[in-house]
Amino acid sequence: MSELAATAEKLDAADELASLRAHFVLDDVVYLDGNSLGALPANVPGRVEDVVRRQWGELRIRSWEESGWWTAPERIGDRIAPLVGAAPGQIVVGDSTSVNVFKALVAAVRMAGEERDEILVDATTFPTDGYIAESAARLTGRTLRPVTPARVPDALGARTAAVLLNHVDYRTGRLHDLPSLTAAVHASGALAVWDLCHSAGALPVGLDEHGVDLAVGCTYKYLNGGPGSPAYLYVRRELQHRFDSPLPGWNSHAEPFGMRPSYEPAPGAPRGRVGTPDILSMLALEAALEVWDGVPVESVRAKSLALTDFFLECVTAYAPEGRVESVTPVPHAERGSQVALRCPDAGDVMKRLIERGVVGDFRHPDVLRFGFTPLYVGFGDVERAARVLGEVLG
């Protein structure tokens, strides 16, 4: 056994989260793509079968009340809330991340006032956020200005209405400073909208603590909700009475079954709803979130940093010198829960890794991306992945 393999064995033996791996459906593959699609929690298939066979098959329409279908968006939102540092009553689950970005950004611009005519967007953002921001700017008559997160404080001014930022860069894994950037946005009089897709379930967020105005996120990455599972929208309690959704639907009406021709928004988080919830995927997500019961996010973050530290150590030891270069920041305060390695033939290398049982992903043009989900990834997985990578590169 190599020295690094022995180290991995000791670290796994001391891992307080190691028992959680048994709560997932896994095989011998080293799965380092949970930052794209989380593994299947073992309790989900049985729960989905119950939803389909009993709740839908037997109770049918009665399940909207008797099985709690109608209240699922807020109930599941309250399950997500502790994972992102939010008190209950501020998160609603439903729609896609893209739709929720649109709702949040347009609502933020409307709350900011007519005199503020500029939107700032993370220049390194996931493409969809940029597309949505550009559309929101055209719809509201604002100017859109792409700015890197580091330059946001200098770009803010009296014209700024809202700022859309990613907590973790999807390509590099860089963790941006949510507390200081939010404070800077507020000091300028603007509203902060954060995309948490690559941070929720991997590290503490602190939405309430840091006064974030609005936030969105998906649930199929570190929250393991399943492919296409519904996203969520956070609206800070103090802003909920002013939240003016650009997509007012019957589900967000104060009297949804009143069928009135005029719209009156519901109080609180439900005004972020739009249409009929996707019950099958939503209840699969609810079951998936049970794996988090009693799991402190702080412990997850500590293991995430230990895993990524160990991976970088193993890559340095196993990979031929100069063959790959990490573009993920070394300082813990600047790192999410993934490691991105620049490699000229990254696409081909990832195909060969997958053939050998190490699953990460490739980001154009030259990035190997490895995501570390602390709930089910162990240190032995890390050592094996780096060792196979070294063999493939060699």
Side-chain angles (χ1 to χ4, degrees), residues 272-296:
R273 293 171 67 151
V274 183
T276 305
D278 186 339
I279 291 300
L280 298 184
S281 61
M282 190 166 290
L283 297 188
L285 167 63
E286 184 173 34
L289 290 170
E290 290 177 5
V291 76
W292 286 94
D293 290 348
V295 179

Side-chain angles (χ1 to χ4, degrees), residues 49-363:
E49 183 178 14
D50 177 71
V51 172
V52 172
R53 292 188 181 280
R54 185 182 63 85
Q55 297 181 29
W56 178 15
E58 297 176 16
L59 296 179
R60 294 179 285 275
I61 196 72
R62 292 161 53 193
S63 275
W64 285 104
E65 180 177 352
E66 294 180 29
S67 300
W69 288 2
W70 185 261
T71 58
E74 293 76 49
R75 183 177 71 246
I76 302 171
D78 284 347
R79 290 207 72 142
I80 293 172
L83 303 179
V84 292
Q90 298 175 100
I91 294 179
V92 64
V93 173
D95 306 310
S96 67
T97 305
S98 302
V99 171
N100 283 318
V101 169
F102 181 76
K103 287 188 282 188
L105 192 55
V106 172
V109 170
R110 288 175 174 177
M111 287 188 276
E114 290 297 326
E115 70 281 1
R116 293 181 174 266
D117 62 358
E118 185 175 74
I119 299 171
L120 301 185
V121 64
D122 183 347
T124 60
T125 189
F126 186 76
T128 284
D129 287 20
Y131 306 154
I132 295 292
E134 196 277 332
S135 179
R138 282 191 288 116
L139 181 73
T140 59
R142 266 59 174 186
T143 300
L144 182 69
R145 182 150 62 114
V147 182
T148 60
R151 295 185 177 275
V152 164
D154 293 332
L156 293 163
R159 293 180 54 198
T160 311
V163 183
L164 173 61
L165 294 166
N166 287 257
H167 196 192
V168 174
D169 186 292
Y170 80 98
R171 186 183 291 104
T172 67
R174 176 177 291 278
L175 172 64
H176 297 301
D177 191 342
L178 181 147
S180 68
L181 286 171
T182 300
V185 171
H186 288 166
S188 75
L191 284 87
V193 182
W194 284 92
D195 183 330
L196 310 178
C197 285
H198 286 270
S199 57
L203 53 92
V205 178
L207 293 179
D208 287 354
E209 177 185 358
H210 303 302
V212 168
D213 300 303
L214 301 113
V216 303
C218 66
T219 61
Y220 47 78
K221 300 183 191 296
Y222 297 108
L223 298 183
N224 310 297
S229 57
Y232 57 91
L233 169 69
Y234 164 91
V235 182
R236 180 158 56 90
R237 194 179 310 280
E238 293 81 2
L239 296 178
Q240 289 178 357
H241 68 288
R242 297 173 54 206
F243 182 81
D244 182 8
S245 175
L247 295 173
W250 77 284
N251 257 237
S252 64
H253 197 286
E255 292 185 67
F257 293 99
M259 304 302 169
R260 304 184 185 283
S262 58
Y263 180 74
E264 179 186 347
R271 69 171 54 192
R273 293 171 67 151
V274 183
T276 305
D278 186 339
I279 291 300
L280 298 184
S281 61
M282 190 166 290
L283 297 188
L285 167 63
E286 184 173 34
L289 290 170
E290 290 177 5
V291 76
W292 286 94
D293 290 348
V295 179
V297 177
E298 293 74 17
S299 297
V300 170
R301 174 59 168 166
K303 182 178 176 183
S304 165
L305 291 171
L307 288 168
T308 49
D309 279 343
F310 188 55
F311 183 67
L312 289 169
E313 179 185 351
C314 291
V315 168
T316 299
Y318 291 138
E321 187 174 355
R323 192 69 170 80
V324 294
E325 172 197 3
S326 176
V327 295
T328 300
V330 173
H332 287 181
E334 300 174 17
R335 189 194 310 165
S337 198
Q338 71 182 56
V339 172
L341 303 176
R342 182 166 287 132
C343 174
D345 52 344
D348 181 58
V349 168
M350 184 53 68
K351 288 179 183 177
R352 288 154 63 195
L353 284 173
I354 292 172
E355 289 171 358
R356 295 190 54 179
V358 175
V359 178
D361 64 20
F362 161 65
R363 285 292 175 263

Side-chain angles (χ1 to χ4, degrees), residues 36-49:
S36 285
L37 176 65
L40 172 66
N43 67 320
V44 170
R47 188 68 55 82
V48 171
E49 183 178 14

Side-chain angles (χ1 to χ4, degrees), residues 359-382:
V359 178
D361 64 20
F362 161 65
R363 285 292 175 263
H364 185 81
D366 59 358
V367 171
L368 298 167
R369 196 176 67 155
F370 302 94
F372 297 84
T373 305
L375 298 186
Y376 54 77
V377 172
F379 293 91
D381 296 322
V382 168

